[in-house]
Amino acid sequence: MEGEMVGCKDENSLPHSFGSRPWLFVMHGTRKKTCTFFDPINNSMEERILPEFLQGKACLGCYGEWILFSNELTRECFFLNTISFSKIYIPPPSDSLDFISGTVSISSPPNTSNCVVVLICSSKTFLLVFSLGTISWNKVPINYLNENMSSLMGASVIHNERLFALTSRDETLAIDVPSLARGCVEMTVINRLKLCPMPYYWFVFLVKCAGDLFSIALHSYGRGQLVTHVEVRRLELSSKGCNEMHWRRVQDIGDHTFFLSGNYGGSLPANMAWGAQCNCIYFPMNCGDGMRLYKFCLDDQILNYTFLPENNAGLERLLWAFPTNIMQTLEEDSLNSFGVAETKETDSTIIGKDDENKMVISRRWDELQIDLLELLLPRLSLVDCLQFASVCKEWSYASSSVQKGKVWPWLMHLPNFKYRSCKFFDPFYCKEYALKSDALDAQDHLALRFSKGGWVVITEGNHRVFILNPFTAQVINLPSLDNYIFDGISFMSLPASPDFVVYGFFFQMYGEYVVISSWHPGEEEWVSHEFRSSSPFFPSSNNPVLFQGEFYCLGRKGELGVFNPEMESWNVLCKPEPVHLAVPWYGDEYCHLLELNGELISVFREDDIKKPIHLFKLNQSEMVWKKVEHLGDMTLFVDRRNSIAISPLEKKYVNRIYIPKFEGNRDSKKVIFYSMEDNRYHPCVQTHTVEEPVTCVWMEPNLHLHKS
């Protein structure tokens, strides 16, 4: 029956709007006689009983509205058209297990004569190839893989008559598809993708879009597969020929939207995606707290996610389905349920009209008494203080108005570096501000590494390191690095202090050695020293903390390592006893260390917002960790690398731990915090959208100009 088209339409088997916009679905194979459909627009789920001819089938891949199915028991294989419900049968490969677990690439719709199906089995060195019109699959070895001790990975796609496939050495093979049909291999090897090293993981997808080919790397943190970063690259052709193809990092995908799942990726123009946002990437990920549906916005560099309604077994084989003939127009007034917000502007005026249309003119600002101004100042936010001083000359003299304004940590994050700007979120007033800065005019990806006293350590790409005060626009450039590999970075004191020194810490993989690099102002290079640890030390992601003249590093078990800069010595302390008996897997939880009222505090939290946060205080006389149940009048701000403690002016903010996540959308988002009073997160976000900037850090605004 190969190539035969059979009609079998059963409209009751599909949700009403299936086929009109992107949907996620999963076939449960022999486990269930149903198919689970997820509508990402409405965040809803439908379970439908499958017609008999689809029961027991597994979904292997798709091309537009065509989906390839295989029966796990009978090995029957066929394409199904989700619009017409017609079927096209193809023979199964000789090894059905490879078929079920492999990745399928399809060159064109199966109702065309030139359709070629290629099966890639992970960790193998050969391809299985089937051409429509033939009667069997061909096994095609790739000698290059054997010669270079490499193997195929999951992601692949057919683009411009070439099969692009990734290898275990992060290379990309570009294989001529017509040559595969002849049983031989004609190919070129494209340069390696420079992916983030361990302890991070990555999932790489290949997506063809508007004549171009893109690679998308999702960097995840730990076994929970918590996505922390997304990198997009476009394949570019040199004028010298196809042998000069290379991947180049890009900052946007234009007016398109990408959809990723399993080992597959697809794209649509945003106006055909029904509610999805342009220049964004959507993908599901099974994390420790459930199945998340992520949206990554390349403009804002922000990850949003909602929880899919149910965490069924087998959801790792979720696939996107969207036809190629989606309606190309949308209603302009339709709601965007993904939380795409427009910037709202409010105007404040001095002169206006009352209800009787009489002109009302306010009194002169400089006529207000100074003592009234000084009562007002402590109640203003930092931005209000900045504006306060610029109202008039008299106000600028009002008892150093800016310095009297209460300052608390803001969350700083970087949108797409092409905008040369940064954003700040005030967690108490729930307001967001944008700040342009020429210092952020970069040619490569920017990352926030550390903050102290209003100064932020930033890296550009893998080489450049600089320190920026975003409010004074002052920059301190540090010597370039061959490769930024620091696990932590900190400095002794603020710039302009006589003991200002920057220290970077790099812990080798097995925890036996640490390399500590230092830079003093005026030096042209980093000075590095290697130290052997008295016992294996596996660091947390938190930066070292300067405490009583020494840098303390927190290990993932809860142990402490100490670097004395004066003695140039490194030591892993025998006490305190670790919080955990075994070394947690990197990323199982975030571990933070900070100084609070002259004492060291450790914080252990999982990314799962249903789990409690655990705090400990170091009892220095006994050198043991003591459980902390209450923060008193203090508040903590923690991100992946930085931790800050303050005593807020208003008591309603005390006894909280703020994390770098938000609930809601751009119009009404609120920062998420953990209350030590009732031991839970606020607001409740299990049924709402969660937003998290990709690169962010808590920092305390500093308006003082640094004088060198």
Side-chain angles (χ1 to χ4, degrees), residues 277 297-302 413-416 419 423 666 693:
Q277 185 180 347
C297 177
L298 278 81
D299 281 333
D300 291 340
Q301 294 289 300
I302 286 179
H413 93 270
L414 300 176
N416 196 312
Y419 296 121
K423 291 186 176 182
R666 298 180 188 177

Side-chain angles (χ1 to χ4, degrees), residues 9-27 35-40 42 46 48 50 54 59 62 64-67 69 80-85 274 319-323 325-326:
K9 190 167 185 177
D10 184 352
E11 296 182 353
N12 294 325
S13 301
L14 295 174
H16 174 69
S17 60
F18 189 85
S20 65
R21 61 173 183 248
W23 276 74
L24 276 168
F25 72 97
V26 61
M27 304 285 292
C35 180
T36 305
F37 297 90
F38 296 98
D39 184 349
N42 299 320
E46 294 187 37
R48 293 297 182 101
L50 292 169
L54 284 179
C59 182
C62 57
E65 65 267 31
W66 290 94
I67 302 176
F69 292 100
L80 175 69
N81 187 298
T82 58
I83 304 298
S84 65
F85 262 60
W274 280 95
L319 288 175
W320 289 99
F322 41 85
N325 57 349
I326 292 181

Side-chain angles (χ1 to χ4, degrees), residues 158-209:
I158 295 178
H159 175 63
N160 290 341
E161 294 192 331
R162 288 188 179 93
L163 172 72
F164 292 86
L166 301 178
T167 74
S168 56
R169 298 180 60 190
D170 300 330
E171 296 170 321
T172 307
L173 306 183
I175 305 174
D176 182 68
V177 172
S179 72
L180 290 177
R182 299 191 301 269
C184 58
V185 176
E186 297 176 6
M187 72 175 195
T188 57
V189 180
I190 304 172
N191 67 309
R192 304 174 91 178
L193 285 168
K194 296 180 180 180
L195 300 175
C196 187
M198 287 286 286
Y200 292 89
Y201 296 86
W202 54 83
F203 302 88
V204 184
F205 300 81
L206 298 176
V207 178
K208 51 185 179 180
C209 172

Side-chain angles (χ1 to χ4, degrees), residues 381-570:
S381 69
L382 179 65
V383 169
D384 292 331
C385 287
L386 293 172
Q387 297 171 340
F388 180 96
S390 63
V391 170
C392 62
K393 185 176 181 180
E394 285 73 13
W395 283 33
S396 66
Y397 294 146
S399 302
S400 302
S401 61
V402 171
Q403 303 309 320
K404 290 234 177 181
K406 186 65 177 179
V407 175
W408 50 84
W410 287 5
L411 187 68
M412 175 182 177
H413 93 270
L414 300 176
N416 196 312
F417 69 72
K418 68 182 181 181
Y419 296 121
R420 296 187 303 166
S421 66
C422 55
K423 291 186 176 182
F424 300 91
F425 189 84
D426 183 338
F428 293 168
Y429 285 82
C430 296
K431 292 183 178 180
E432 188 172 64
Y433 308 96
L435 179 65
K436 288 277 188 180
S437 175
D438 290 337
L440 300 175
D441 184 6
Q443 302 300 316
D444 205 343
H445 174 71
L446 296 172
L448 305 176
R449 304 292 183 175
F450 173 70
S451 80
K452 183 175 183 177
W455 292 84
V456 183
V457 178
I458 304 176
T459 56
E460 179 184 354
N462 295 323
H463 309 294
R464 186 188 174 211
V465 186
F466 63 99
I467 306 175
L468 169 70
N469 184 330
F471 289 94
T472 64
Q474 292 177 287
V475 177
I476 299 174
N477 287 301
L478 306 185
S480 296
L481 296 166
D482 292 336
N483 194 25
Y484 186 90
I485 57 174
F486 293 150
D487 296 293
I489 192 169
S490 184
F491 33 81
M492 290 287 295
S493 58
L494 298 184
S497 300
D499 57 347
F500 172 65
V501 184
V502 183
Y503 290 93
F505 294 71
F506 168 62
F507 296 88
Q508 296 183 357
M509 182 174 295
Y510 298 104
E512 297 179 357
Y513 294 91
V514 57
V515 178
I516 300 177
S517 304
S518 63
W519 175 81
H520 293 72
E523 294 183 349
E524 296 182 357
E525 294 182 349
W526 293 83
V527 178
S528 300
H529 298 282
E530 183 178 87
F531 302 91
R532 185 182 180 90
S533 297
S534 54
S535 60
F537 185 82
F538 299 93
S540 66
S541 61
N542 196 88
N543 283 305
V545 173
L546 183 63
F547 180 68
Q548 297 179 353
E550 297 180 306
F551 286 101
Y552 281 74
C553 301
L554 181 66
R556 299 205 296 272
K557 290 199 304 181
E559 72 274 42
L560 292 173
V562 182
F563 171 67
N564 187 311
E566 183 176 351
M567 303 296 294
E568 292 190 347
S569 63
W570 164 261

Side-chain angles (χ1 to χ4, degrees), residues 515-671:
V515 178
I516 300 177
S517 304
S518 63
W519 175 81
H520 293 72
E523 294 183 349
E524 296 182 357
E525 294 182 349
W526 293 83
V527 178
S528 300
H529 298 282
E530 183 178 87
F531 302 91
R532 185 182 180 90
S533 297
S534 54
S535 60
F537 185 82
F538 299 93
S540 66
S541 61
N542 196 88
N543 283 305
V545 173
L546 183 63
F547 180 68
Q548 297 179 353
E550 297 180 306
F551 286 101
Y552 281 74
C553 301
L554 181 66
R556 299 205 296 272
K557 290 199 304 181
E559 72 274 42
L560 292 173
V562 182
F563 171 67
N564 187 311
E566 183 176 351
M567 303 296 294
E568 292 190 347
S569 63
W570 164 261
N571 185 33
V572 178
L573 302 183
C574 298
K575 292 184 176 182
E577 293 289 336
V579 174
H580 302 298
L581 295 177
V583 179
W585 194 262
Y586 202 96
D588 279 0
E589 65 181 356
Y590 298 112
C591 310
H592 312 280
L593 186 69
L594 68 156
E595 181 182 358
L596 177 62
N597 294 330
E599 296 179 302
L600 280 179
I601 300 292
S602 60
V603 182
F604 298 86
R605 68 178 180 94
E606 297 183 36
D607 197 72
D608 188 345
I609 54 179
K610 300 186 294 294
K611 301 291 183 64
I613 293 180
H614 301 285
L615 275 74
F616 299 90
K617 177 177 64 176
L618 181 63
N619 184 318
Q620 297 182 65
S621 60
E622 302 177 15
M623 287 302 290
V624 295
W625 290 116
K626 296 288 188 179
K627 184 76 173 177
V628 175
E629 304 290 349
H630 201 276
L631 288 171
D633 62 351
M634 302 300 292
T635 299
L636 307 185
F637 300 81
V638 298
D639 53 67
R640 291 195 184 100
R641 295 197 172 275
N642 230 45
S643 306
I644 301 176
I646 67 163
S647 178
L649 182 66
E650 298 187 49
K651 298 302 180 184
K652 63 181 179 180
Y653 299 121
V654 303
N655 206 27
R656 295 177 174 180
I657 303 173
Y658 284 85
I659 65 174
K661 291 188 178 185
F662 307 99
E663 178 271 337
N665 56 41
R666 298 180 188 177
D667 283 330
S668 60
K669 68 181 181 182
K670 297 179 180 179
V671 71

